[in-house]
């Protein structure tokens, strides 16, 4: 992942709804969002030629090379993302941060860092422990296998870099992932610096995701291009089906409902506006409306449509159709510290050379165009370190005790104090996290291994919870995203421990030839308080690793859930959610592989009830 660029929050953009209307059309399924999960569901549901499927995507079919060429993944493709910024984060100097959300067909799979890894078994078993039967590792494993296919590096590359893998950990699905044959030379030494570190060294991270391991990227080895949900699930087959229609550059304005004589609420369809001509259209969903708009915009659409916390809706002047405090609650993301070290003696063909030498950059770019090899054929990282708390914090038991001794409501948004279900669900989550922090079965901290001095680290198990709410003046404008980073002080404790650990690693003798000098946040920050302050001052600390999730969580209502294990929104008929907003407890992993598995399982669930 790359450092989010901090910019002032933009003026809210009000979505137009005042254009002329078109006639109503009916489909069996209306899917809101043509991103990572939406296109998977569109493919699977349209396999039945007797079912009609409509996908409505806010972005366009982008065929540019900024995302498709793997070597470009080190930069943020702003053209393919929403220009949405967070509310000021109090514990990060009241800075605002870019909220990284894809605004393109393919969604996050089109703009992410291409990491393809999964959480530990315990991460998914926690979902089942929270009341979601069938959503533990045993229930999800076959869907991971169903979605992906791994291509190994060449025997020469494997030997030269000491790469280990186990192809049997993957499946034979449409998402092509690989460890490319070409690797940056410095990756050999930097990855090898972990050889004698006292943490697990699994042969294959996709089988055993705790420790240090080589990890694939979502790169199609045959074409040396990025794999996306579009290239895997839509373009090859689904795009040719007459019963599937993809609408692009179209904004879904609201979900429409009917109310029975007994007061039962049922989703009937959606209204959307074409951004090409300003015309608003009402479409009917005969079977279901399926929300796949992502971890930020699905909660927003529910609230704009009248489903959400009553106080939030009323403050924004939105008619309350269902009071649901769960919508926009339990919002989570991995907390990042984008550390950087100035390195001496890097190989000539390094990322630094690409960034600073225009002639070399053009040479290797031409090499990619002619032979699909070289620096532009790979991503930025094929090495990952996922560590249990005890791996990087010797005093981990004190942190666990601190969690258990907390009065939870003191470190949560105000809405938790007034809602027993939300608070009960959070306490259940905190208990699970305390158990995970006590063992070595699940990771808490992450370090991304890259072949240069950029060294991003992340607290993968935050206890703080954010919120997504409405702009009270213009509810149709972008939602108010509040991360509440470090509201729970344990999160800062863990980030400090991980930062110190990363510093010690870069001081190891195996890396001495690089003469690493920390430039961000900087060695002048030494005490715990200074490390957090330095991260704020230098801009290395960020509330997000681009994994926004949890704002419409899958849990029983008694735990403050929004949807059940069947993915139906509580209290509303014919309305389901299948994106990252359903994640009740964010796993220690980059979310791409998990979202493909969720979408495959969701498709089977929806098919079964049809």
């Amino acid at each position: 992942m790359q450092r989010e660029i901090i910019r002032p929050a933009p003026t809210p953009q009000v979505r137009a709804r005042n254009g002329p209307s078109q006639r109503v059309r009916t489909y069996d399924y209306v899917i809101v969002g043509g991103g990572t999960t939406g296109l998977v569901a569109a493919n699977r549901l349209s396999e039945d030629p007797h079912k009609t499927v409509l996908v409505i995507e806010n972005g366009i079919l982008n065929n540019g090379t900024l995302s498709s060429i793997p070597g470009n993944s080190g930069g943020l493709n702003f053209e393919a993302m929403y220009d949405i910024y967070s509310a000021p984060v109090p514990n990060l100097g009241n800075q605002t941060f870019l909220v990284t959300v894809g605004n393109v067909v393919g969604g996050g799979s089109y703009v992410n860092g291409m990491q393809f890894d999964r959480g530990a078994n315990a991460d998914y078993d926690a979902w089942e422990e929270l009341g979601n039967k069938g959503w533990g590792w045993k229930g999800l494993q076959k869907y991971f296998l169903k979605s992906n296919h791994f291509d190994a590096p060449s025997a020469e590359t494997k030997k030269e870099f000491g790469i280990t893998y186990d192809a049997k950990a993957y499946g034979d699905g449409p998402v092509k992932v690989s460890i490319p044959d070409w690797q940056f030379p410095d990756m050999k030494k930097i990855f090898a610096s972990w050889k004698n570190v006292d943490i697990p060294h699994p042969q294959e991270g996709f089988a055993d995701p705790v420790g240090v391991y080589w990890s694939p990227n979502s790169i199609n080895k045959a074409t040396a291009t990025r794999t996306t949900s579009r290239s895997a699930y839509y373009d090859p087959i689904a795009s040719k089906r007459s019963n599937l229609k993809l609408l692009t550059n179209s904004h879904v304005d609201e979900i429409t409902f009917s109310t029975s004589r007994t007061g039962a609420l049922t989703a009937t369809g959606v209204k959307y506006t074409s951004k090409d001509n300003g015309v608003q259209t009402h479409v009917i969903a005969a079977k279901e409306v399926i929300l796949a708009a992502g971890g930020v915009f699905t909660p927003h659409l529910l609230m704009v449509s009248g489903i959400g916390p009553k106080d939030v809706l009323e403050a924004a002047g939105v008619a309350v159709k269902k009071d649901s405090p769960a919508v926009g609650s339990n919002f989570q993301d991995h907390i990042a510290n984008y550390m950087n070290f100035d390195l001496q003696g890097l190989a000539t063909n390094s990322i630094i050379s690409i960034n600073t030498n225009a002639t070399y950059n053009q040479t290797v770019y031409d090499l990619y165009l002619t032979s699909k090899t070289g620096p532009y054929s790979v991503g930025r990282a094929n090495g990952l370190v996922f560590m249990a708390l005890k791996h990087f914090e010797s005093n981990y038991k004190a942190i666990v005790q601190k969690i258990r001794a907390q009065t939870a409501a003191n470190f949560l948004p105000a809405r938790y104090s007034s809602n027993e279900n939300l608070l009960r669900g959070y306490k259940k989550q905190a208990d699970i996290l305390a158990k995970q922090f006590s063992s070595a079965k699940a990771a808490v901290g992450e370090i991304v291994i890259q072949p240069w001095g950029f060294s991003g680290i992340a607290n993968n198990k935050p206890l703080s919870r954010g919120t997504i709410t409405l702009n009270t003046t213009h509810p149709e404008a972008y939602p108010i995203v509040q991360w509440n980073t470090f509201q729970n002080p344990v999160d800062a404790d863990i980030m400090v421990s991980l930062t110190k650990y990363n510093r010690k690693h870069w001081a190891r003798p195996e890396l001495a030839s690089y003469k690493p000098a920390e430039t961000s946040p900087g060695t002048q920050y030494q005490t715990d308080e200074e490390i957090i302050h330095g991260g704020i001052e230098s801009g290395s600390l960020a509330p997000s690793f681009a994994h926004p999730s949890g704002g419409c969580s899958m849990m029983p209502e008694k735990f403050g859930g929004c949807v059940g294990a069947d993915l139906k929104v509580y209290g509303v008929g014919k309305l389901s959610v299948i994106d990252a907003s359903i994640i009740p407890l964010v796993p220690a992993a980059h979310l791409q592989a998990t979202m493909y598995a969720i979408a495959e399982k969701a498709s089977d669930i929806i098919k079964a009830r049809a």
Side-chain angles (χ1 to χ4, degrees):
M1 305 304 303
Q2 290 294 300
R3 173 72 176 90
E4 283 87 343
I5 297 175
I6 305 170
R7 297 176 177 173
T11 302
Q13 299 182 14
V14 181
R15 306 299 186 187
R17 288 196 192 175
N18 298 319
S21 295
Q22 288 186 337
R23 65 187 181 87
V24 176
R25 297 194 63 180
T26 299
Y27 297 82
D28 289 305
Y29 300 102
V30 174
I31 301 174
V32 180
T36 305
T37 60
L39 291 185
V40 175
N43 179 305
R44 297 308 187 191
L45 295 176
S46 64
E47 287 174 339
D48 182 346
H50 303 294
K51 301 293 190 300
T52 54
V53 181
L54 173 67
V55 182
I56 309 173
E57 166 57 41
N58 191 74
I60 63 171
L61 280 163
N62 192 324
N63 295 313
T65 59
L66 189 56
S67 279
S68 63
I69 296 178
N72 287 333
S73 69
L76 290 175
N77 186 352
F78 290 108
E79 293 181 359
M81 299 175 70
Y82 285 92
D83 58 339
I84 177 174
Y85 288 78
S86 73
V89 184
N91 292 317
L92 292 180
N94 282 319
Q95 298 174 95
T96 62
F97 296 81
L98 178 69
V99 182
T100 47
V101 181
N103 184 22
V104 63
V105 176
S109 69
Y110 188 91
V111 298
N112 63 23
M114 302 191 300
Q115 292 293 339
F116 202 85
D117 58 300
R118 70 169 178 91
N121 296 7
D123 285 343
Y124 306 108
D125 290 343
W127 297 1
E128 194 157 41
E129 191 175 344
L130 286 167
N132 300 301
K133 186 177 180 181
W135 285 90
W137 172 244
K138 288 183 179 179
L140 276 167
Q141 183 179 16
K142 69 177 182 179
Y143 293 108
F144 278 96
L145 296 175
K146 185 178 181 179
S147 62
N148 63 63
H149 173 88
F150 172 75
D151 284 314
S154 67
E156 293 78 11
T157 300
K158 177 185 175 183
K159 181 179 180 180
E160 180 181 356
F161 288 85
I163 298 172
T164 65
Y165 60 86
D166 181 2
K168 294 191 297 293
Y170 301 88
D172 194 22
V175 181
K176 307 299 183 183
V177 305
S178 64
I179 298 176
D181 293 340
W182 196 94
Q183 293 287 326
F184 285 97
D186 291 294
M187 189 65 176
K188 186 188 304 182
K189 182 183 290 187
I190 294 176
F191 190 92
S193 70
W194 291 91
K195 183 177 180 180
N196 297 315
V197 177
D198 188 21
I199 61 174
H201 291 72
Q203 176 190 10
E204 171 56 64
F206 217 74
D208 187 4
V210 179
V212 54
Y213 51 84
W214 289 86
S215 178
N217 289 159
S218 48
I219 295 175
N220 186 329
K221 187 176 181 180
T223 61
T225 56
R226 173 195 289 265
T227 303
T228 68
S229 61
R230 174 187 166 185
S231 68
Y233 283 90
Y234 180 72
D235 286 347
I237 299 175
S239 65
K240 301 172 178 62
R241 293 176 182 152
S242 61
N243 61 327
L244 172 62
K245 182 176 179 62
L246 171 65
L247 287 175
T248 62
N249 209 32
S250 298
H251 179 261
V252 174
D253 304 318
E254 64 176 314
I255 306 163
T256 58
F257 303 94
S258 65
T259 306
S260 70
R261 292 180 179 179
T262 61
L265 193 65
T266 301
T268 58
V270 303
K271 292 181 179 179
Y272 71 88
T273 298
S274 168
K275 292 187 286 182
D276 293 326
N277 56 24
V279 173
Q280 187 183 69
T281 302
H282 183 197
V283 290
I284 300 298
K287 293 189 177 298
E288 289 191 35
V289 173
I290 301 168
L291 302 187
V296 171
F297 285 102
T298 280
H300 178 245
L301 179 59
L302 284 168
M303 287 185 284
V304 168
S305 304
I307 299 175
K310 182 179 180 181
D311 60 331
V312 171
L313 303 186
E314 290 181 340
V318 175
V320 179
K321 295 184 176 68
K322 176 176 169 53
D323 179 16
S324 180
V327 178
S329 299
N330 202 41
F331 184 57
Q332 301 163 57
D333 205 323
H334 298 139
I335 308 168
N337 191 354
Y338 294 99
M339 299 180 72
N340 196 75
F341 296 81
D342 181 56
L343 305 185
Q344 303 299 313
L346 286 166
T348 302
N349 48 348
S350 69
I351 293 175
I352 296 296
S353 298
I354 293 173
N355 292 341
T356 60
N357 187 325
T359 301
Y360 176 74
N361 181 48
Q362 187 62 53
T363 299
V364 295
Y365 187 74
D366 291 342
L367 175 66
Y368 171 82
L369 294 179
T370 57
S371 62
K372 294 297 186 288
T373 189
Y376 275 92
S377 69
V378 303
R380 290 294 184 259
N382 281 125
L384 296 175
V385 182
F386 279 96
M387 297 179 290
L389 183 59
K390 61 175 61 179
H391 291 148
F392 64 90
E393 173 52 71
S394 59
N395 202 22
Y396 70 95
K397 291 182 180 178
I399 291 179
V400 173
Q401 182 56 35
K402 188 172 182 178
I403 296 171
R404 296 194 183 282
Q406 285 181 337
T407 300
N410 292 343
F411 306 102
L412 291 166
R415 66 175 61 173
Y416 284 76
S417 297
S418 58
N419 189 282
E420 293 181 0
N421 290 346
L422 287 176
L423 188 58
R424 185 183 299 114
Y426 177 81
K427 288 179 178 178
K428 180 71 171 175
Q429 293 178 38
D431 181 62
I432 291 172
L433 289 175
K435 292 176 183 176
Q436 289 188 353
F437 287 10
S438 301
S439 76
K441 293 183 178 180
V444 174
E446 175 188 1
I447 301 176
V448 179
I449 304 175
Q450 297 201 28
W452 58 319
F454 184 80
S455 187
I457 64 178
N459 174 354
N460 276 196
K461 295 291 173 66
L463 284 107
S464 301
R465 292 293 179 266
T467 58
I468 299 173
T469 54
L470 294 176
N471 181 316
T472 55
T473 305
H474 300 293
E476 298 168 5
Y478 289 149
I480 307 301
V481 177
Q482 177 53 267
W483 272 295
N484 290 326
T485 308
F486 297 151
Q487 185 173 20
N488 192 310
V490 170
D491 292 342
D493 295 341
I494 291 172
M495 183 57 77
V496 166
S497 296
L498 197 56
T499 301
K500 290 179 178 178
Y501 183 92
N502 198 31
R503 283 176 169 174
K504 289 179 180 178
H505 184 82
W506 279 98
R508 291 183 65 87
E510 296 95 328
L511 296 168
S513 63
Y514 289 120
K515 300 178 182 179
E518 182 183 323
T519 58
S520 183
T523 56
Q524 66 269 35
Y525 305 109
Q526 288 296 317
T527 68
D528 293 3
E529 292 77 12
E530 287 172 349
I531 287 172
I532 296 300
H533 176 72
I536 295 170
E537 288 294 305
S538 69
S540 66
L541 270 176
S544 171
F545 222 36
H547 303 145
S549 53
C552 188
S553 288
M554 176 177 59
M555 289 187 291
E557 283 190 283
K558 67 178 181 180
F559 289 158
C562 174
V563 303
D566 60 0
L567 304 178
K568 291 182 180 180
V569 176
Y570 289 122
V572 185
K574 295 169 53 175
L575 181 62
S576 300
V577 182
I578 65 169
D579 55 40
S581 65
I582 70 166
I583 293 175
L585 200 55
V586 65
H590 302 255
L591 293 185
Q592 179 177 204
T594 296
M595 295 320 304
Y596 279 119
I598 285 175
E600 287 281 17
K601 183 176 176 69
S603 298
D604 273 2
I605 289 172
I606 293 169
K607 278 183 172 183
R609 60 173 169 252

